[in-house]
Amino acid sequence: MTLTNTTVLISGASIAGPALAFWLARAGAKVTLVEKAPALRPGGQAVDFKGETHLTVLERMGVLERIREHQTGGTDLTIIDEKGREVAVWPGEFTGGDLEILRGDLARILVEQTEKSCEYVFGDSITSLTETPAGVHVSFERGAPRTFDLVIGADGIHSNVRRLAFGPEHEHVRHLGYYYALADLDLDVEPVMYNEPGRMISLGGSKAASFFVFASPELFYDRYDEEQQKELVRAAFAGCGWRVPEVLAALDRAGSVYLDSISQARVDSYAAGRVALIGDAAYGNTLGGFGTGLAVVAAYVLAGELATNADHRTAFRRYEELFRPYAKSAENGNAGPFMAPKTRPGRWLRNQLFRRRFLLTSMIKMGDRMASRIDLPDYTCLRWPASTTKSAPVVAAERGDTSSVITSATS
C-alpha cells in the first residue's frame, strides 16, 4: 500500500517535520511543510543520537554518514569555582551520545534530503484548522487557504497546531521551574561551566558556545523579541561572580539570543480527527536528552503506519500504541536541577557523580537502554520510493510581503 495522492501538511521544518516528510514522500504522499521562520535557522545547540534504534532509523533514511561528517563530538567541560579553579569535569560523552551534531546542521541535512520531493513554505503560519468531509481546510497568515487530507503538528513544545486542534498551551505544557538561553557571544574561552545556586553558565562547549540555565517561576515574554530576552537573562544573572559581568556585557553585542522554558508537554491523545502531533508537540521535555532521537523514530513509525493502514484513524491509533510507551523515556526528566542545582550541597553531589566513573558509566548505559526501548517495525512499504521523486517548489514568503518567492530552502 502507498499514500499516492494523499496530501499532507506538516507544520514545522526543524527536525521532526522534515524527517516525517522524508518517509511520507517515499510512500507517495504529496507533502507540504510550513515554517513560521523566514528561513532555516543555522547553528543552535548540539543535539545527539544514542543507541541502536536511533542510528538504525538514520541509516534507513540514508543520512547517517552525512551526519557523521558534521558531528561536533562531545567536548569535556571544566566545572570551575568563582576563582576559576577546576572542581570537576563534565565529560562530553555524558551528553554527546553516540553522535552529536548542531541542530542547524541536522535540519539542513534533512531539508536537503526532502526539498526535491516536498514543498517548503517559509515565513508563514497556520491560523485555523477546520475539518470537513473533504479533509482539513487550512488558513494561513500569508498564503491562500488550502485543503489537505491530513495535518501534522511538528512545531515544537509551543505547537501552534496543538493549540488550534487540541486546546490552549497551558492545558498541555507544564513549566518545570527553569529556563535556558543560547547566545551567540564573541568570547574566546576554553570550555568551562560555572555555577551559583540556581544558575549556570557554560562557555565554549560543543552543545552550545554560550549556554545559560536558571531557576525561575514562569515568565511571560515575547518569544520573538530578542532584546526582551536579553534583559531577562541579564536580570537572572545579576550579581553573579567569576566572569559573569563580562559575559553579560558581551550579551549586549550578541548576534542572536534564544530563551525558552524547560517544560514538559503531554496530551491525552496524539491525534484529533485528521490532525496528529509528533515530536515535542506531543511529548516533549525540553533539554530532556532524548527529544531529537524520539522525533526521528516517531517520524518513521507514524509514516509507516499511515502507509500500512488505509484508514488514518487506525494509523494514528497504531502510531500512539507503538510510540507512547517509548516516549515515556522523556516524560519525567528535568535537566534544570542537574545543570543548575539550587543549593551548594546539590551542586556538590552533582560534581561527585563526575568524579565516580562507575556511576557515570551506569547512567550512560541506562540512557542507551532507554533510547533503544522499542521494537522498531520494518515497514516494507518504506524501503524504496513508492513513486519517482519529482522536483517540487520550495517557497519562501518574506515577512511583511504577501508575494511568494520560489527559492531554495537552504539558500
Side-chain angles (χ1 to χ4, degrees):
M1 180 179 173
T2 69
L3 293 172
T4 303
N5 297 323
T6 300
T7 58
V8 183
L9 173 66
I10 300 173
S11 176
S14 179
I15 307 300
L20 178 61
F22 171 83
W23 293 115
L24 291 176
R26 170 165 287 193
K30 297 180 178 179
V31 184
T32 297
L33 297 94
V34 60
E35 166 60 49
K36 186 176 181 68
L40 281 179
R41 294 167 178 161
Q45 82 261 39
V47 297
D48 59 271
F49 299 96
K50 53 176 67 73
E52 182 181 356
T53 299
H54 294 179
L55 300 183
T56 296
V57 173
L58 295 176
E59 186 174 29
R60 291 180 184 178
M61 292 181 72
V63 298
L64 180 57
E65 292 309 314
R66 288 198 63 199
I67 292 173
R68 282 182 171 145
E69 290 172 2
H70 292 83
Q71 63 181 320
T72 55
T75 300
D76 292 350
L77 280 174
T78 302
I79 304 174
I80 58 173
D81 63 15
E82 62 277 1
K83 294 184 178 180
R85 298 172 300 197
E86 178 182 320
V87 296
V89 175
W90 184 311
E93 65 187 296
F94 184 70
T95 53
D98 293 315
L99 196 57
E100 185 183 81
I101 182 173
L102 290 177
R103 174 175 288 275
D105 287 342
L106 177 60
R108 176 175 52 80
I109 289 170
L110 295 177
V111 168
E112 288 175 353
Q113 193 81 349
T114 53
E115 63 182 347
K116 291 183 179 179
S117 58
C118 303
E119 177 189 11
Y120 279 81
V121 181
F122 285 91
D124 207 348
S125 182
I126 299 170
T127 56
S128 70
L129 298 169
T130 305
E131 189 160 336
T132 71
V136 184
H137 184 74
V138 183
S139 297
F140 299 92
E141 284 185 0
R142 307 198 186 283
R146 297 167 64 177
T147 297
F148 298 86
D149 294 315
L150 302 171
V151 174
I152 310 296
D155 43 358
I157 202 157
H158 301 294
S159 172
N160 183 42
V161 168
R162 187 188 59 223
R163 178 181 61 83
L164 293 171
F166 293 74
E169 181 169 312
H170 67 83
E171 294 181 359
H172 304 293
V173 177
R174 182 167 67 95
H175 176 55
L176 297 181
Y178 282 81
Y179 282 80
Y180 73 98
L182 306 167
D184 180 16
L185 303 185
D186 183 19
L187 292 172
D188 184 17
V189 295
E190 294 296 318
V192 293
M193 173 177 161
Y194 174 71
N195 278 114
E196 291 192 10
R199 298 183 282 193
M200 183 278 284
I201 291 180
S202 73
L203 302 172
S206 60
K207 278 292 180 185
S210 305
F211 189 44
F212 304 77
V213 175
F214 60 94
S216 171
E218 190 169 5
L219 302 172
F220 298 94
Y221 62 97
D222 184 349
R223 291 190 296 113
Y224 299 96
D225 185 338
E226 290 194 355
E227 289 304 316
Q228 187 180 13
Q229 293 175 50
K230 288 180 182 180
E231 186 56 40
L232 290 172
V233 174
R234 290 189 202 98
F237 287 86
C240 279
W242 184 56
R243 296 173 58 186
V244 174
E246 176 188 350
V247 173
L248 296 181
L251 191 64
D252 293 334
R253 308 185 300 273
S256 64
V257 175
Y258 177 81
L259 172 70
D260 205 350
S261 62
I262 297 181
S263 297
Q264 178 187 75
R266 286 190 182 180
V267 291
D268 293 333
S269 173
Y270 291 170
R274 291 177 174 268
V275 180
L277 302 175
I278 187 174
D280 285 353
Y283 43 78
N285 187 331
T286 319
L287 298 187
F290 290 93
T292 304
L294 285 173
V296 169
V297 175
Y300 175 74
V301 173
L302 176 54
E305 293 302 322
L306 284 170
T308 302
N309 296 280
D311 189 332
H312 70 274
R313 292 168 295 188
T314 302
F316 287 161
R317 184 177 67 251
R318 285 282 300 152
Y319 155 59
E320 182 155 354
E321 289 172 353
L322 285 167
F323 200 78
R324 188 178 282 275
Y326 182 52
K328 286 185 179 296
S329 60
E331 279 188 357
N332 298 316
N334 182 357
F338 190 77
M339 291 183 171
K342 293 182 180 180
T343 65
R344 293 184 184 277
R347 183 175 58 187
W348 182 86
L349 286 172
R350 191 272 317 278
N351 292 343
Q352 294 311 300
L353 167 68
F354 296 130
R355 295 194 179 108
R356 285 161 171 76
R357 187 70 191 183
F358 73 96
L359 289 176
L360 186 64
T361 301
S362 296
M363 288 188 67
I364 293 172
K365 288 182 177 179
M366 182 177 68
D368 289 345
R369 288 194 298 270
M370 292 174 67
S372 298
R373 197 176 294 172
I374 185 175
D375 292 327
L376 197 64
D378 185 5
Y379 297 110
T380 56
C381 52
L382 299 181
R383 287 185 183 175
W384 299 278
S387 59
T388 303
T389 301
K390 297 181 180 180
S391 178
V394 179
V395 183
E398 299 290 343
R399 290 184 183 274
D401 184 358
T402 57
S403 63
S404 293
V405 181
I406 298 177
T407 184
S408 169
T410 55
S411 62

